[in-house]
mmCIF file of all heavy atoms in Angstrom:
data_model
loop_
_atom_site.group_PDB
_atom_site.id
_atom_site.type_symbol
_atom_site.label_atom_id
_atom_site.label_comp_id
_atom_site.label_asym_id
_atom_site.label_seq_id
_atom_site.Cartn_x
_atom_site.Cartn_y
_atom_site.Cartn_z
ATOM 1 N N VAL A 172 62.078 44.027 70.289
ATOM 2 C CA VAL A 172 61.053 44.051 71.349
ATOM 3 C C VAL A 172 59.693 44.502 70.791
ATOM 4 O O VAL A 172 58.652 43.923 71.122
ATOM 5 C CB VAL A 172 61.494 44.987 72.510
ATOM 6 C CG1 VAL A 172 60.348 45.187 73.478
ATOM 7 C CG2 VAL A 172 62.727 44.427 73.190
ATOM 8 N N ALA A 173 59.699 45.515 69.920
ATOM 9 C CA ALA A 173 58.455 45.983 69.324
ATOM 10 C C ALA A 173 57.843 44.934 68.387
ATOM 11 O O ALA A 173 56.643 44.680 68.424
ATOM 12 C CB ALA A 173 58.706 47.274 68.591
ATOM 13 N N ALA A 174 58.663 44.337 67.542
ATOM 14 C CA ALA A 174 58.162 43.414 66.521
ATOM 15 C C ALA A 174 57.621 42.138 67.140
ATOM 16 O O ALA A 174 56.561 41.632 66.724
ATOM 17 C CB ALA A 174 59.247 43.082 65.506
ATOM 18 N N PHE A 175 58.333 41.573 68.081
ATOM 19 C CA PHE A 175 57.949 40.284 68.677
ATOM 20 C C PHE A 175 57.089 40.440 69.950
ATOM 21 O O PHE A 175 56.194 39.651 70.184
ATOM 22 C CB PHE A 175 59.168 39.457 69.007
ATOM 23 C CG PHE A 175 59.892 38.930 67.815
ATOM 24 C CD1 PHE A 175 60.947 39.610 67.259
ATOM 25 C CD2 PHE A 175 59.508 37.707 67.253
ATOM 26 C CE1 PHE A 175 61.623 39.086 66.130
ATOM 27 C CE2 PHE A 175 60.159 37.217 66.134
ATOM 28 C CZ PHE A 175 61.200 37.926 65.572
ATOM 29 N N GLY A 176 57.413 41.462 70.739
ATOM 30 C CA GLY A 176 56.833 41.541 72.059
ATOM 31 C C GLY A 176 55.493 42.183 72.188
ATOM 32 O O GLY A 176 54.557 41.657 72.782
ATOM 33 N N VAL A 177 55.345 43.357 71.546
ATOM 34 C CA VAL A 177 54.090 44.127 71.702
ATOM 35 C C VAL A 177 52.863 43.367 71.192
ATOM 36 O O VAL A 177 51.836 43.332 71.886
ATOM 37 C CB VAL A 177 54.224 45.507 71.031
ATOM 38 C CG1 VAL A 177 52.890 46.234 71.100
ATOM 39 C CG2 VAL A 177 55.334 46.316 71.706
ATOM 40 N N PRO A 178 52.913 42.729 70.017
ATOM 41 C CA PRO A 178 51.743 41.944 69.619
ATOM 42 C C PRO A 178 51.426 40.822 70.624
ATOM 43 O O PRO A 178 50.262 40.530 70.879
ATOM 44 C CB PRO A 178 52.148 41.338 68.246
ATOM 45 C CG PRO A 178 53.168 42.309 67.739
ATOM 46 C CD PRO A 178 53.917 42.767 68.951
ATOM 47 N N LEU A 179 52.476 40.190 71.188
ATOM 48 C CA LEU A 179 52.238 39.126 72.187
ATOM 49 C C LEU A 179 51.618 39.682 73.450
ATOM 50 O O LEU A 179 50.798 39.031 74.101
ATOM 51 C CB LEU A 179 53.536 38.412 72.497
ATOM 52 C CG LEU A 179 54.120 37.532 71.379
ATOM 53 C CD1 LEU A 179 55.445 36.935 71.824
ATOM 54 C CD2 LEU A 179 53.167 36.430 70.973
ATOM 55 N N LEU A 180 52.023 40.894 73.839
ATOM 56 C CA LEU A 180 51.421 41.559 75.008
ATOM 57 C C LEU A 180 49.931 41.775 74.818
ATOM 58 O O LEU A 180 49.112 41.484 75.695
ATOM 59 C CB LEU A 180 52.132 42.889 75.276
ATOM 60 C CG LEU A 180 53.456 42.870 75.944
ATOM 61 C CD1 LEU A 180 54.018 44.252 76.106
ATOM 62 C CD2 LEU A 180 53.376 42.217 77.341
ATOM 63 N N ILE A 181 49.569 42.279 73.656
ATOM 64 C CA ILE A 181 48.145 42.559 73.377
ATOM 65 C C ILE A 181 47.365 41.235 73.347
ATOM 66 O O ILE A 181 46.296 41.098 73.929
ATOM 67 C CB ILE A 181 47.988 43.316 72.031
ATOM 68 C CG1 ILE A 181 48.657 44.681 72.139
ATOM 69 C CG2 ILE A 181 46.524 43.446 71.646
ATOM 70 C CD1 ILE A 181 48.722 45.411 70.819
ATOM 71 N N LEU A 182 47.932 40.226 72.676
ATOM 72 C CA LEU A 182 47.315 38.919 72.592
ATOM 73 C C LEU A 182 47.244 38.206 73.927
ATOM 74 O O LEU A 182 46.420 37.355 74.175
ATOM 75 C CB LEU A 182 48.053 38.059 71.568
ATOM 76 C CG LEU A 182 47.401 36.751 71.136
ATOM 77 C CD1 LEU A 182 46.052 37.016 70.459
ATOM 78 C CD2 LEU A 182 48.317 35.979 70.186
ATOM 79 N N GLY A 183 48.145 38.573 74.830
ATOM 80 C CA GLY A 183 48.192 37.966 76.157
ATOM 81 C C GLY A 183 47.235 38.586 77.171
ATOM 82 O O GLY A 183 47.140 38.111 78.296
ATOM 83 N N GLY A 184 46.538 39.667 76.802
ATOM 84 C CA GLY A 184 45.596 40.305 77.721
ATOM 85 C C GLY A 184 46.221 41.321 78.660
ATOM 86 O O GLY A 184 45.636 41.677 79.649
ATOM 87 N N ALA A 185 47.432 41.805 78.317
ATOM 88 C CA ALA A 185 48.102 42.758 79.182
ATOM 89 C C ALA A 185 47.457 44.152 79.074
ATOM 90 O O ALA A 185 47.436 44.893 80.047
ATOM 91 C CB ALA A 185 49.592 42.860 78.820
ATOM 92 N N PHE A 186 46.949 44.507 77.895
ATOM 93 C CA PHE A 186 46.361 45.823 77.707
ATOM 94 C C PHE A 186 44.837 45.777 77.600
ATOM 95 O O PHE A 186 44.160 46.720 77.995
ATOM 96 C CB PHE A 186 46.898 46.461 76.397
ATOM 97 C CG PHE A 186 48.397 46.664 76.447
ATOM 98 C CD1 PHE A 186 49.166 46.482 75.315
ATOM 99 C CD2 PHE A 186 49.046 47.024 77.610
ATOM 100 C CE1 PHE A 186 50.538 46.678 75.312
ATOM 101 C CE2 PHE A 186 50.420 47.243 77.634
ATOM 102 C CZ PHE A 186 51.145 47.024 76.491
ATOM 103 N N LEU A 187 44.311 44.683 77.083
ATOM 104 C CA LEU A 187 42.883 44.485 76.969
ATOM 105 C C LEU A 187 42.508 43.184 77.685
ATOM 106 O O LEU A 187 43.164 42.202 77.481
ATOM 107 C CB LEU A 187 42.412 44.387 75.486
ATOM 108 C CG LEU A 187 42.596 45.656 74.657
ATOM 109 C CD1 LEU A 187 42.284 45.305 73.196
ATOM 110 C CD2 LEU A 187 41.682 46.762 75.123
ATOM 111 N N PRO A 188 41.419 43.171 78.468
ATOM 112 C CA PRO A 188 41.037 41.899 79.125
ATOM 113 C C PRO A 188 40.647 40.862 78.099
ATOM 114 O O PRO A 188 40.051 41.162 77.070
ATOM 115 C CB PRO A 188 39.831 42.332 79.968
ATOM 116 C CG PRO A 188 39.365 43.627 79.416
ATOM 117 C CD PRO A 188 40.517 44.310 78.813
ATOM 118 N N THR A 189 41.042 39.645 78.381
ATOM 119 C CA THR A 189 40.781 38.522 77.424
ATOM 120 C C THR A 189 39.289 38.260 77.240
ATOM 121 O O THR A 189 38.905 37.610 76.288
ATOM 122 C CB THR A 189 41.503 37.239 77.882
ATOM 123 O OG1 THR A 189 41.084 36.930 79.259
ATOM 124 C CG2 THR A 189 43.004 37.410 77.868
ATOM 125 N N SER A 190 38.470 38.744 78.182
ATOM 126 C CA SER A 190 37.021 38.571 78.042
ATOM 127 C C SER A 190 36.473 39.288 76.828
ATOM 128 O O SER A 190 35.403 38.975 76.348
ATOM 129 C CB SER A 190 36.303 39.047 79.309
ATOM 130 O OG SER A 190 36.592 40.426 79.564
ATOM 131 N N LEU A 191 37.228 40.297 76.303
ATOM 132 C CA LEU A 191 36.784 41.049 75.126
ATOM 133 C C LEU A 191 37.242 40.370 73.823
ATOM 134 O O LEU A 191 36.824 40.772 72.745
ATOM 135 C CB LEU A 191 37.359 42.450 75.180
ATOM 136 C CG LEU A 191 36.942 43.307 76.349
ATOM 137 C CD1 LEU A 191 37.591 44.675 76.251
ATOM 138 C CD2 LEU A 191 35.400 43.473 76.408
ATOM 139 N N PHE A 192 38.061 39.315 73.907
ATOM 140 C CA PHE A 192 38.596 38.710 72.690
ATOM 141 C C PHE A 192 37.521 37.864 71.986
ATOM 142 O O PHE A 192 36.717 37.186 72.652
ATOM 143 C CB PHE A 192 39.763 37.743 73.064
ATOM 144 C CG PHE A 192 41.042 38.442 73.430
ATOM 145 C CD1 PHE A 192 41.113 39.817 73.613
ATOM 146 C CD2 PHE A 192 42.193 37.731 73.631
ATOM 147 C CE1 PHE A 192 42.260 40.442 73.979
ATOM 148 C CE2 PHE A 192 43.379 38.330 73.983
ATOM 149 C CZ PHE A 192 43.416 39.725 74.159
ATOM 150 N N PRO A 193 37.500 37.895 70.669
ATOM 151 C CA PRO A 193 36.622 36.967 69.958
ATOM 152 C C PRO A 193 37.140 35.529 70.132
ATOM 153 O O PRO A 193 38.271 35.322 70.506
ATOM 154 C CB PRO A 193 36.763 37.399 68.476
ATOM 155 C CG PRO A 193 38.028 38.163 68.429
ATOM 156 C CD PRO A 193 38.218 38.803 69.779
ATOM 157 N N LYS A 194 36.279 34.558 69.872
ATOM 158 C CA LYS A 194 36.581 33.175 70.153
ATOM 159 C C LYS A 194 37.835 32.689 69.414
ATOM 160 O O LYS A 194 38.681 32.005 70.014
ATOM 161 C CB LYS A 194 35.394 32.324 69.803
ATOM 162 C CG LYS A 194 35.582 30.831 70.203
ATOM 163 C CD LYS A 194 34.330 30.041 69.911
ATOM 164 C CE LYS A 194 34.530 28.577 70.348
ATOM 165 N NZ LYS A 194 33.321 27.745 70.045
ATOM 166 N N LYS A 195 37.969 33.029 68.150
ATOM 167 C CA LYS A 195 39.106 32.579 67.400
ATOM 168 C C LYS A 195 40.402 33.171 67.926
ATOM 169 O O LYS A 195 41.436 32.491 67.985
ATOM 170 C CB LYS A 195 38.927 32.928 65.911
ATOM 171 C CG LYS A 195 37.845 32.119 65.185
ATOM 172 C CD LYS A 195 37.780 32.445 63.737
ATOM 173 C CE LYS A 195 36.725 31.582 63.039
ATOM 174 N NZ LYS A 195 36.631 31.891 61.554
ATOM 175 N N LEU A 196 40.375 34.445 68.298
ATOM 176 C CA LEU A 196 41.563 35.062 68.870
ATOM 177 C C LEU A 196 41.922 34.491 70.188
ATOM 178 O O LEU A 196 43.109 34.322 70.516
ATOM 179 C CB LEU A 196 41.333 36.591 68.978
ATOM 180 C CG LEU A 196 42.576 37.468 69.191
ATOM 181 C CD1 LEU A 196 43.564 37.294 68.033
ATOM 182 C CD2 LEU A 196 42.181 38.904 69.382
ATOM 183 N N LEU A 197 40.912 34.113 70.955
ATOM 184 C CA LEU A 197 41.177 33.485 72.275
ATOM 185 C C LEU A 197 41.830 32.109 72.099
ATOM 186 O O LEU A 197 42.722 31.745 72.907
ATOM 187 C CB LEU A 197 39.869 33.339 73.044
ATOM 188 C CG LEU A 197 39.966 33.036 74.552
ATOM 189 C CD1 LEU A 197 40.766 34.077 75.269
ATOM 190 C CD2 LEU A 197 38.581 32.900 75.149
ATOM 191 N N GLU A 198 41.452 31.381 71.052
ATOM 192 C CA GLU A 198 42.086 30.086 70.798
ATOM 193 C C GLU A 198 43.571 30.286 70.450
ATOM 194 O O GLU A 198 44.411 29.481 70.857
ATOM 195 C CB GLU A 198 41.359 29.373 69.660
ATOM 196 C CG GLU A 198 39.973 28.883 70.039
ATOM 197 C CD GLU A 198 40.005 27.845 71.149
ATOM 198 O OE1 GLU A 198 40.942 26.995 71.120
ATOM 199 O OE2 GLU A 198 39.107 27.907 72.016
ATOM 200 N N ILE A 199 43.890 31.317 69.697
ATOM 201 C CA ILE A 199 45.276 31.598 69.369
ATOM 202 C C ILE A 199 46.047 32.019 70.595
ATOM 203 O O ILE A 199 47.230 31.658 70.795
ATOM 204 C CB ILE A 199 45.363 32.702 68.261
ATOM 205 C CG1 ILE A 199 44.684 32.227 66.972
ATOM 206 C CG2 ILE A 199 46.797 33.091 67.976
ATOM 207 C CD1 ILE A 199 44.569 33.260 65.895
ATOM 208 N N ALA A 200 45.383 32.821 71.438
ATOM 209 C CA ALA A 200 46.069 33.327 72.645
ATOM 210 C C ALA A 200 46.524 32.214 73.584
ATOM 211 O O ALA A 200 47.506 32.371 74.310
ATOM 212 C CB ALA A 200 45.125 34.271 73.404
ATOM 213 N N LYS A 201 45.902 31.030 73.500
ATOM 214 C CA LYS A 201 46.262 29.940 74.405
ATOM 215 C C LYS A 201 47.651 29.384 74.105
ATOM 216 O O LYS A 201 48.205 28.611 74.874
ATOM 217 C CB LYS A 201 45.196 28.831 74.302
ATOM 218 C CG LYS A 201 43.889 29.271 74.898
ATOM 219 C CD LYS A 201 42.818 28.174 74.778
ATOM 220 C CE LYS A 201 41.489 28.624 75.373
ATOM 221 N NZ LYS A 201 40.446 27.586 75.218
#
Side-chain angles (χ1 to χ4, degrees):
V172 172
F175 288 94
V177 175
L179 291 177
L180 281 178
I181 297 173
L182 191 61
F186 299 143
L187 294 172
T189 55
S190 58
L191 299 178
F192 287 8
K194 186 176 180 180
K195 290 184 178 179
L196 195 60
L197 194 58
E198 290 297 321
I199 297 174
K201 292 179 180 179

